[in-house]
Amino acid sequence: MLGLVHITLDSATDVVTGIRFPEGNRWHEGRLWYSDMHTGQVFSIDPDGGTDAVPRLEATVPGQSSGLGWLPDGRLIVSSMESRTVVAVEADGTTSVFADLSQVESSLVNDLVVDPETGRTYIGAFGYDLYAGEELRPGPLYVIEPDGSFRLAAEGLVFPNSANVLPGTRTLVVSETWGGKLTAFDIEPDGSLTGRREWAALPEGVTPDGSTVDAEGAIWVCSVDTGEFLRVVEGGEVTDRIDAPGRCAIDCALGGPDGRTLYLATADSYDPATTAETHAGRISAVRVPVSGH
């Protein structure tokens, strides 16, 4: 791959501005989808729509919207962090609870990924009350069946966050934000996770948040605390880097007509009181040599 080492966010083109905390970046059916976590709103946009490209409100989810995915029947699902549920969005924008993890989980739920082969969803939970200043405790990862039933898939993860199924494999790779690493599992036919192993130890200080996988099986991962986007291969080598100085690097997605546009979600803070005042969140775009899968 041609290097993008030390490109900065100033080299990117802004796609969306004036939002609070952009999360859940996904490319789906020719549009970029994202949550504004601090408002609970979910939007999509055609980034190539010229002057007419404006965000379209797709749903409003109470309780801080985060990860996005699509079920086998085509419905959008959204993780509702504070209610500890996964919400399904109908075509008319109405919502209903798809999976209620509050029955078993007391901490906030986090990002999610839908396995495109089976339609199962994997979602993590914080494991402790981060916002109340509780001492860090490991968190769980749940698997949700297409019918909304769920069970524990793994535990002992240090703040499980985004996850990706590597292309052409049955491997799930999960970001452990405060663990500073990416952890892999084998996905069994029944959706269970086995073979837990370290996929990549990240550079010191890197706190992996959102991520996306490319066609070569490398993962672009955002470091929320250090304000950078890193392309990492198995074993931990960082091949490329995009700096976002002074910003929280929150999420990213590969998309565009040829899959070679990397969308970069950043904000000035992850404090809701701050973002309510500044509305400085934005999603920017930069071209990369390797497409999404």
Side-chain angles (χ1 to χ4, degrees):
M1 176 176 176
L2 300 177
L4 295 173
V5 177
H6 289 281
I7 280 182
T8 69
L9 200 63
D10 292 339
S11 303
T13 301
D14 284 343
V15 175
V16 179
T17 59
I19 55 180
R20 290 178 59 184
F21 197 84
E23 262 281 13
N25 286 18
R26 306 286 189 267
W27 184 262
H28 181 70
E29 295 184 344
R31 298 179 69 86
L32 177 67
W33 295 66
Y34 61 94
S35 298
D36 191 341
M37 192 178 90
H38 290 170
T39 67
Q41 295 173 304
V42 177
F43 297 92
S44 74
I45 188 172
D46 177 1
D48 299 315
T51 56
D52 293 328
V54 294
R56 181 174 74 198
L57 179 63
E58 302 287 352
T60 299
V61 175
Q64 292 196 331
S65 56
S66 183
L68 308 180
W70 284 265
L71 296 172
D73 63 12
R75 286 183 297 166
L76 169 69
I77 56 171
V78 185
S79 57
S80 175
M81 299 176 68
E82 292 176 346
S83 66
R84 305 185 300 285
T85 62
V86 176
V87 172
V89 182
E90 305 296 337
D92 62 0
T94 59
T95 61
S96 60
V97 174
F98 170 63
D100 184 358
L101 281 83
S102 70
Q103 304 170 43
V104 297
E105 183 55 50
S106 61
S107 68
L108 302 188
V109 298
N110 208 345
D111 206 347
L112 61 77
V113 64
V114 177
D115 181 348
E117 184 172 306
T118 66
R120 294 187 177 100
T121 300
Y122 294 89
I123 182 171
F126 286 21
Y128 69 109
D129 192 338
L130 169 68
Y131 298 115
E134 280 189 0
E135 183 177 351
L136 186 149
R137 292 192 301 273
L141 191 69
Y142 296 95
V143 57
I144 306 173
E145 296 289 339
D147 65 2
S149 61
F150 57 87
R151 64 188 185 277
L152 184 68
E155 53 189 338
L157 295 158
V158 186
F159 206 83
N161 209 319
S162 63
N164 296 278
V165 179
L166 300 186
T169 77
R170 301 304 298 144
T171 301
L172 182 77
V173 178
V174 181
S175 298
E176 293 192 60
T177 300
W178 309 134
K181 63 182 177 180
L182 305 179
T183 297
F185 296 90
D186 298 319
I187 305 173
E188 298 299 332
D190 67 353
S192 299
L193 300 179
T194 60
R196 178 174 176 170
R197 58 200 178 274
E198 182 178 274
W199 193 83
L202 299 174
E204 185 176 356
V206 169
T207 50
D209 194 337
S211 60
T212 189
V213 63
D214 67 24
E216 294 180 352
I219 293 176
W220 279 98
V221 64
C222 315
S223 177
V224 64
D225 281 350
T226 60
E228 56 192 330
F229 299 82
L230 307 174
R231 183 180 185 267
V232 183
V233 297
E234 187 174 6
E237 179 187 358
V238 176
T239 66
D240 303 273
R241 173 177 165 177
I242 301 170
D243 288 327
R247 308 281 295 174
C248 298
I250 305 164
D251 207 350
C252 57
L254 282 161
D258 60 1
R260 289 182 48 226
T261 300
L262 182 64
Y263 296 98
L264 313 166
T266 64
D268 59 338
S269 172
Y270 44 72
D271 173 36
T274 299
T275 66
E277 294 291 331
T278 60
H279 284 81
R282 66 179 188 260
I283 302 175
S284 309
V286 65
R287 296 284 289 166
V288 295
V290 179
S291 69
H293 65 97

